Amino acid sequence: MPPLTVLIKPASGRCNMRCRYCFYVDEMQNRDAGVRPDMTAADADALVRRAFVYAEGFVSFVFQGGEPTLAGLPYFEAFAQSVRRHNTRGLEVRCALQTNGYDLSDELIAFFKRHNFLLGVSMDGDQRLHDALRSDAHGQGTHARVQNTMKRLQKAGVDVNILCVVSRPVAGQPDRVWDALAPYKYLQFIACLDGLNGETGPWSVSSEAFLTFLRGTFRRYVQAIDRGQYVSVRWYDNWVRMLRGFAPDTCSMQGHCVCGFTVESDLSAYPCDFYALDEWKLGSLKTESFARLVKSEIARRFIQDSLPVPDACRACEWYALCRNGCRRERAQGLHRFCQAYQMFFPEAMPDLQRIARMTKIT
C-alpha cells in the first residue's frame, strides 16, 4: 500500500467566519446533507485505525473545514491518543491544519507546537483587502485578530504558511498583497473558484486579472530571490521544481486527478475536497476500509474523467508546466486561465530557468 494523506473535516463546514467566496458553502448547498455534526472521538479513532492498517511509509492527517479548530482541543487530544495507539508499525506521521486564525486558544497553539503541526493561516493581503473579504459572523473585519494569532503562533514556534485566496479584488492589487504577506516568508496563493456549475460571481477572477496578479507577484518573487531574501510561493516554487525534473507537490499541477480522501465529520469519504458531493461519495469509513474505497467504481471514474488531454493542450509548448491545471478549474475542457498562462510563461521562462539553475528548491 502507498503512503496515505487524509483531509479531515472534524467540524464539517461549520465556521465562525463568513468569507465572501467560500467554496465549501457552495458544496454543502449542493448535497443532501449540508453541515454534519462534529466528528466524535469514536469515529476519529475508527478513521485513525483504518489509516494505519492501509498506509505504508507515512500517514499525513490534514485538518480543514469550515473551521477545523471548532472541533475543540479535547477532540485533537483524543485524536493524538488514537495515533499513538494505532501506529504500531512506527510509521512517520505528518499533521497539518488550515485555519482562519480567528480564535485559537493558547492551549490549542501549544498542542500544535507539541505535535509538530504545520498550520496554514488564511490572510488575503493587507487589512483593507482582507476585511472586505473575510468578515466574522457579525460582519466585522478579522484582519487584526488574524495578525494577532500569527504573532502568537510565531512566538510559540509553530510552523506557519500563509494562504491567500486570489479573488477579483486581490488579483488587482499584486504589489499591495505582496507587501502585506511577503514578511511571512511562506505563501500559497489559491485562485478563487467559480461555482460548481461554472457560474461566476463578484469574486470570480477573469483571465486578464489573473495575468495581472501573476505578473506582479512573480516579479516580486524574482526580485526577492535576486536580493538573497527568498520568499516561498508555492506556484512559482513548483514550476521551478518541474523545470529541475521534480514532480510538483500539489495535485492541481499533475494534470490528472488522483483518488485522495476527504473525510467529512460523519466519516463519509470523497475523492477530493472540491468534489465532496453526493455523486462522488466513495462510501463511509464507519464500515469500509481505505483499500476498498480506493478500488471503488466511483474512484475509478473520478480519475478517468480527468485524463483526456485536449488537442489544444497537446499542441501547446507550455503544457509541460500548465498540464491543464486542476479539473475543477476547467471550462469546456480547457483551463480557465489558459490565455493568461500563454502570455505569462513566455515572459517568465527566462527567470524560471535561471532560478532553476541556481536554486536548491526541491
Side-chain angles (χ1 to χ4, degrees), residues 4 75 160 204 254 298 328 349:
L4 175 66
Y75 166 84
V160 184
S204 296
Q254 292 180 4
I298 291 176
R328 180 74 189 271
M349 188 54 60

Side-chain angles (χ1 to χ4, degrees), residues 239-314:
W239 286 328
V240 170
R241 284 170 54 91
M242 293 161 77
L243 287 172
R244 297 185 68 227
F246 295 96
D249 67 5
T250 171
C251 63
S252 65
M253 290 183 163
Q254 292 180 4
H256 61 83
C257 294
V258 298
C259 180
F261 293 102
T262 292
V263 181
E264 258 283 0
S265 58
D266 62 356
L267 296 196
S268 298
Y270 306 87
C272 174
D273 190 31
F274 292 163
Y275 292 90
L277 302 165
D278 296 336
E279 65 181 299
W280 295 112
K281 182 178 175 180
L282 300 171
S284 173
L285 287 164
K286 287 179 181 287
T287 57
E288 297 170 277
S289 67
F290 283 101
R292 181 172 179 180
L293 296 181
V294 80
K295 294 177 181 177
S296 67
E297 173 59 23
I298 291 176
R300 186 202 66 78
R301 181 162 53 88
F302 182 76
I303 296 170
Q304 191 67 32
D305 286 357
S306 74
L307 296 180
V309 179
D311 291 341
C313 290
R314 295 184 187 279

Side-chain angles (χ1 to χ4, degrees), residues 17-209:
M17 283 176 52
R18 300 294 183 269
C19 301
R20 307 288 187 240
Y21 47 69
C22 182
F23 82 90
Y24 207 64
V25 169
D26 186 24
E27 291 191 26
M28 289 188 297
Q29 292 173 345
N30 280 275
R31 66 188 190 195
D32 288 341
V35 179
R36 291 93 186 269
D38 287 1
M39 186 179 291
T40 65
D43 280 349
D45 189 72
L47 185 160
V48 171
R49 176 177 56 81
R50 291 188 184 278
F52 283 112
V53 168
Y54 176 79
E56 295 287 349
F58 69 83
V59 179
S60 180
F61 296 113
V62 181
F63 299 89
Q64 202 180 80
E67 173 50 39
T69 61
L70 292 179
L73 180 58
Y75 166 84
F76 288 101
E77 290 176 332
F79 195 98
Q81 291 174 2
S82 293
V83 169
R84 288 193 294 270
R85 183 164 55 252
H86 293 299
N87 189 13
T88 57
R89 292 178 289 146
L91 299 184
E92 178 187 356
V93 178
R94 306 172 184 176
C95 292
L97 181 142
Q98 182 175 335
T99 177
N100 58 31
Y102 182 74
D103 188 19
L104 274 64
S105 68
D106 290 340
E107 293 78 14
L108 194 54
I109 289 174
F111 172 89
F112 292 144
K113 172 59 179 175
R114 191 163 61 249
H115 292 276
N116 299 313
F117 271 61
L118 170 64
L119 261 62
V121 178
S122 294
M123 190 182 298
D124 285 2
D126 62 12
Q127 182 169 1
R128 185 156 64 89
L129 279 169
H130 179 101
D131 284 350
L133 296 162
R134 301 182 64 83
S135 64
D136 63 19
H138 305 289
Q140 301 300 308
T142 60
H143 185 265
R145 290 188 65 145
V146 176
Q147 276 204 317
N148 181 58
T149 296
M150 282 295 300
K151 292 176 183 177
R152 292 163 58 223
L153 288 167
Q154 291 174 323
K155 183 177 180 180
V158 178
D159 291 332
V160 184
N161 290 347
I162 293 294
L163 310 176
C164 174
V165 175
V166 183
S167 59
R168 183 181 299 175
V170 167
Q173 301 288 338
D175 285 308
R176 276 178 57 193
V177 172
W178 184 271
D179 288 339
L181 302 185
Y184 295 110
K185 298 299 184 183
Y186 295 94
L187 313 181
Q188 294 185 40
F189 296 126
I190 305 161
C192 185
L193 286 175
D194 290 337
L196 281 166
N197 298 315
E199 63 272 21
T200 59
W203 318 114
S204 296
V205 185
S206 67
S207 189
E208 293 79 9

